[in-house]
Amino acid sequence: MKRHLKNLKINIITGIFLLSLIMTYSCSQNEDLDNINDESVLIDEVEDDENNDLSGKKKDPKRLSGGCDNPRRSDGQYYRQYESTDVGAGTDLVSKTAINGKNVDVIKFLDDRTCGYNYSQSGNRGIYRLKAGSNKFDAPLQPRIERASKKVDRKKGNFVSVEGYVNVKRVGGRNSGTFGFNDPRDQRGTYIIQAKGKHANRTIGSSDPAILLIVAKDRGNGTVDLWAEQIKVRGGSSNSGREMKKLANVRKNQRFKLKMTNGFSTDTKQYVKIEINNRLVHTFDVKNTKVTIDGQQKFQTGRDAKIRFGAYRCHKGEANIEWSDVRHDFKG
């Protein structure tokens, strides 16, 4: 009997000890959950800009007051138009746009560096509006609202393309100078799409260069000229390192079809192709640049390819660019 009571006492003590451990662990877990739900704790990690992968940049729930609806953090201009948890969440116009059926979640994220207007949608149109001097994130750089395509690495046959219908409602004006449309120094107009790609063996040029940009410039007669602003050599930048090629003249307030393809014809040769209304209007073969690295001559070549589209640059006045029926394709 004594032995039975002794065993019962041991079992009770053991049970109390185990119950204590469980309660301690549960409280610890609850504290962790409380911290996660606290808005002061940053849950989503922002990926490094080196990757240019907007899918890794989440919308910050903290908002500025007044007319600017952009996130508060200096690197928080990246966000999704809709989150699955948003009250009354709708559908982003480019949420299911892959031609080849692969995951293109990256294209659903916006890089919004303007407090003039917010990105909005109406019917099947994505509306990208800019106002001069409204970039409060990295001033004095130009305001922009853009999306980024998937990035593909350098390899023969790899490419990325973006196509859609564009309606140029309004473009930015000239801030200074009296240069012509064919001069890279001319500040009139707004970029609507740009081919980008980093350099291998980079010794000159930007670390995140634009290879070719399409800029829309208002002619004042109800039409706009579309120009390709492209680098002269790999690593070229600023006004002296770029040249202008006229692509087409289109009517304002009337949509046209535009497609850009950025890819590699060989393991070292990169190209950009532009189609307007299903017609090839320009092919740009990006020139590699001979550079010297540690006393040896090498070529500065393309490392990857990607595309950004929306609206970018407004030196004076306002810009309003609409994109609809956007489709995204790639290999690589």
Side-chain angles (χ1 to χ4, degrees):
M1 182 70 178
K2 289 183 178 180
R3 181 178 297 177
H4 177 72
L5 291 174
K6 182 178 181 182
N7 290 337
L8 180 61
K9 184 177 181 181
I10 292 174
N11 290 336
I12 292 173
I13 293 174
T14 302
I16 293 173
F17 177 73
L18 290 175
L19 181 61
S20 175
L21 285 177
I22 291 171
M23 291 181 65
T24 302
Y25 178 76
S26 176
C27 290
S28 174
Q29 290 294 91
N30 287 337
E31 289 174 359
D32 289 341
L33 290 175
D34 288 341
N35 288 335
I36 290 176
N37 291 326
D38 187 350
E39 288 188 356
S40 65
V41 177
L42 180 61
I43 301 172
D44 297 314
E45 181 179 354
V46 177
E47 290 189 6
D48 182 50
D49 281 343
E50 175 77 10
N51 296 323
N52 195 44
D53 183 1
L54 301 191
S55 65
K57 300 174 169 66
K58 302 297 185 180
K59 184 174 63 175
D60 190 335
K62 298 178 181 178
R63 298 287 185 168
L64 292 175
S65 60
C68 180
D69 215 13
N70 290 324
R72 185 181 298 275
R73 301 195 318 273
S74 61
D75 63 346
Q77 67 267 18
Y78 300 96
Y79 62 89
R80 285 180 60 164
Q81 166 66 0
Y82 291 108
E83 297 285 359
S84 59
T85 56
D86 283 347
V87 176
T91 301
D92 194 322
L93 290 178
V94 297
S95 60
K96 295 181 180 179
T97 60
I99 295 175
N100 56 18
K102 294 182 180 179
N103 181 13
V104 288
D105 190 64
V106 57
I107 204 172
K108 290 190 283 187
F109 289 78
L110 291 145
D111 176 1
D112 189 345
R113 305 187 202 182
T114 174
C115 287
Y117 301 99
N118 296 318
Y119 169 81
S120 62
Q121 297 181 169
S122 177
N124 70 336
R125 296 171 290 127
I127 302 170
Y128 302 77
R129 298 181 66 186
L130 306 177
K131 184 177 181 180
S134 61
N135 186 343
K136 305 236 181 341
F137 294 97
D138 47 10
L141 299 182
Q142 290 298 304
R144 69 193 71 190
I145 304 178
E146 293 181 300
R147 298 175 186 259
S149 74
K150 176 181 172 63
K151 179 183 68 175
V152 299
D153 293 328
R154 176 184 63 187
K155 182 181 179 182
K156 181 180 178 180
N158 280 2
F159 74 92
V160 61
S161 70
V162 169
E163 63 179 275
Y165 287 90
V166 183
N167 187 344
V168 179
K169 310 281 285 187
R170 185 183 301 176
V171 296
R174 179 194 285 123
N175 186 42
S176 62
T178 56
F179 305 105
F181 278 3
N182 62 344
D183 193 317
R185 292 172 293 179
D186 180 45
Q187 296 182 340
R188 285 171 291 184
T190 296
Y191 299 116
I192 57 179
I193 192 170
Q194 55 174 316
K196 296 178 70 69
K198 291 183 168 58
H199 306 307
N201 294 327
R202 184 178 74 89
T203 60
I204 59 174
S206 169
S207 60
D208 187 24
I211 298 171
L212 183 152
L213 310 93
I214 295 182
V215 56
K217 299 188 178 187
D218 194 343
R219 291 189 61 88
N221 60 355
T223 68
V224 293
D225 282 347
L226 301 179
W227 291 80
E229 182 178 321
Q230 63 195 32
I231 57 176
K232 293 180 180 179
V233 294
R234 180 158 312 265
S237 59
S238 68
N239 297 325
S240 61
R242 293 182 178 178
E243 59 184 357
M244 308 295 293
K245 299 287 185 179
K246 186 175 178 179
L247 302 177
N249 176 260
V250 297
R251 299 197 63 82
K252 292 175 64 177
N253 299 314
Q254 182 173 309
R255 72 179 200 158
F256 61 93
K257 190 175 183 181
L258 174 64
K259 180 178 181 180
M260 172 181 282
T261 305
N262 186 5
F264 296 92
S265 55
T266 73
D267 287 341
T268 59
K269 293 183 179 179
Q270 189 170 8
Y271 68 88
V272 181
K273 290 184 179 180
I274 307 298
E275 298 173 49
I276 296 178
N277 291 333
N278 296 316
R279 183 171 66 90
L280 180 64
V281 297
H282 186 50
T283 298
F284 176 50
D285 294 316
V286 186
K287 297 178 181 178
N288 294 325
T289 306
K290 188 176 288 186
V291 295
T292 301
I293 300 177
D294 296 331
Q296 295 184 346
Q297 289 208 330
K298 298 183 179 181
F299 279 95
Q300 184 164 304
T301 62
R303 198 180 87 186
D304 52 45
K306 56 201 171 192
I307 294 173
R308 291 169 67 94
F309 69 96
Y312 161 38
R313 194 177 82 166
C314 184
H315 279 286
K316 189 175 181 180
E318 297 185 1
N320 187 347
I321 308 295
E322 296 182 353
W323 281 84
S324 57
D325 301 320
V326 176
R327 285 156 63 89
H328 174 249
D329 197 11
F330 61 90
K331 178 183 177 182

